[in-house]
């Protein structure tokens, strides 16, 4: 685990400039400090992100998700070793809702255990997920941006997938890996949790246990069912066969019309892409088997990750994902700014306070009060 930086006094311009200089010089304490500022959304964090933005966009962002205990951390550690052997520098963001710090610390220990001394090419940050049972912390994506700007070639984002924020995970990563284990009902759980929707790579881990083969077959069958008939979902690209897109892809209504919520969350670009008559060949989702604890299947997984990355570039999907990500950042920044204006700068909190008795007695509704606050602060 990297030590968490103490919050310190509010960052002024000169302090931020010095911090940026140290960051750009590749100093790890500066990286840790910038991550903390961003994670805690401390004053100046948006200015920092603004400064770093031009240096982002090079890293391969890999999301690793799945149920608790599936071996995500073990797999992450194994991948880190693999990438390090290849001379790549790796940033890890571990979002563990069950125990944010011990979870990350465990992962850190697991990676360190196998390393001789301190490896400067690995940086691990553990984060708490905020206000939900799993998924991503609010600022996970920005922390990944910071690591990207620092120069890590791979960024691994480990999250528990429990059916809360699949689209968020998928949006944060270039490549989303779903890890399952041969425990009973896992494939059914995956369907329920929506993990099937976001997987670009399946890993059946704990392949040393009975049932791994069957689970892998079940997943393959489900994938086949999905790709056999229906047209691709909004923002997703399933295998489209050997002869170009299925008829439904070109002829059907825009995907956004069928799934407005999903399209909205993932960005509208997916819908536009689905409607394109010249859709690139699809990505055939591989189902791999690993024994992460013994490093088995990791080379194949790394190769599949590279293949997916190459496909992303070839097909144009990478630039689409990046476009969606950038648009998402803008929306989030607008929300943050607007909330600041409403609640702090223009007295929205006072209007709310004043309305509480009326609200309580039922003379007004939360929606009327909200409308009044927006009108009087932003209108
Ligand atoms: N038998 C077996 N156990 C594994 C394998 N990979 C991980 N484990 C064990 O499964 C447990 C949970 O692993 P962990 O990586 O913490 O899972 P996470 O909650 O998904 O991050 C640990 O005790 C691991 O040692 C594997 O391939 N085979
Ligand atoms: Mg874990």
């Amino acid at each position: 685990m990297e030590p968490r930086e103490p919050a310190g006094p509010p960052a002024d311009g000169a302090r931020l400039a010095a911090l940026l200089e140290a960051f750009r010089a590749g100093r790890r304490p500066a990286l840790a400090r910038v991550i903390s500022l961003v994670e805690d959304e401390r004053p100046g964090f948006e200015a920092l992100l603004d400064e770093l933005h031009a240096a982002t966009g090079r890293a391969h962002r890999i999301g690793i998700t799945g149920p608790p205990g599936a071996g995500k951390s073990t797999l992450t550690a194994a991948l880190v070793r693999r990438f390090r052997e290849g001379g790549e520098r790796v940033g890890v963001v571990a979002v563990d809702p069950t125990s944010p710090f011990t979870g990350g610390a465990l992962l850190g220990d697991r990676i360190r255990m196998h390393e001789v001394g301190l490896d400067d090419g690995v940086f691990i940050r553990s984060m708490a997920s905020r206000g939900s049972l799993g998924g991503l912390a609010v600022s996970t994506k920005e922390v990944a941006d910071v690591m990207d700007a620092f120069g890590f070639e791979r960024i691994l984002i480990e999250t528990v997938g429990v059916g809360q924020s699949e689209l968020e995970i998928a949006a944060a990563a270039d490549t989303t890996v779903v890890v399952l284990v041969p425990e009973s009902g896992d494939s059914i759980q995956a369907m329920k949790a929506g993990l099937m929707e976001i997987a670009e790579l399946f890993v059946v881990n704990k392949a040393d246990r009975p049932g791994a083969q069957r689970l892998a077959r079940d997943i393959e069958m489900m994938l086949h069912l999905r790709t056999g008939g229906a047209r691709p979902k909004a923002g997703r690209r399933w295998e489209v066969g050997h002869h170009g897109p299925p008829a439904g892809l070109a002829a059907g209504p825009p995907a956004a019309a069928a799934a407005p919520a999903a399209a909205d969350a993932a960005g509208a670009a997916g819908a536009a892409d689905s409607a394109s008559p010249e859709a690139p060949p699809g990505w055939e989702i591989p189902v791999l088997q690993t024994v992460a604890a013994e490093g088995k299947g990791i080379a194949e997984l790394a190769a599949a990750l590279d293949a997916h990355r190459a496909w992303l570039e070839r097909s144009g999907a990478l630039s689409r994902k990046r476009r969606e990500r950038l648009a998402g950042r803008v929306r989030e920044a607008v929300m943050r700014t607007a909330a600041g204006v409403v609640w702090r700068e223009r007295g929205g909190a006072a209007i709310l306070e004043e309305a509480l008795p009326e609200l309580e007695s039922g003379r007004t509704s939360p929606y009327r009060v909200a409308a009044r606050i927006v009108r009087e602060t932003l209108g």
Side-chain angles (χ1 to χ4, degrees), residues 107-129:
L107 175 60
D109 291 345
R110 226 170 269 166
I111 290 171
R112 291 273 154 69
M113 261 189 334
H114 300 265
E115 243 85 46
V116 187
L118 200 73
D119 185 350
D120 250 5
V122 183
F123 190 94
I124 301 161
R125 186 51 165 253
S126 166
M127 297 177 70
S129 62

Side-chain angles (χ1 to χ4, degrees), residues 81-103:
R81 283 194 291 279
R82 173 89 198 171
F83 291 143
R84 289 301 295 136
E85 281 161 20
E88 291 182 298
R89 301 197 303 151
V90 191
V92 179
V93 190
V95 187
D96 191 334
T98 48
S99 58
F101 296 106
T102 55

Side-chain angles (χ1 to χ4, degrees), residues 169-207:
I169 296 166
D174 300 322
T175 304
T176 303
V177 179
V178 170
V179 185
L180 299 173
V181 279
E183 260 79 78
S184 61
D186 240 341
S187 51
I188 312 295
Q189 281 307 113
M191 288 291 282
K192 267 196 211 145
L195 290 175
M196 294 299 281
E197 311 285 329
I198 60 162
E200 281 150 323
L201 249 107
F202 275 103
V203 168
V204 173
N205 188 41
K206 307 197 184 181

Side-chain angles (χ1 to χ4, degrees), residues 72-73 96 103 110 158:
K72 298 180 298 299
S73 294
D96 191 334
R110 226 170 269 166
E158 181 196 334

Side-chain angles (χ1 to χ4, degrees), residues 32-54:
R33 175 105 177 102
V34 170
I35 289 176
S36 291
L37 286 171
V38 167
E39 190 180 349
D40 299 340
E41 299 188 2
R42 295 189 66 79
F45 87 97
E46 284 192 326
L48 271 175
L49 288 173
D50 171 64
E51 287 282 349
L52 297 181
H53 181 73

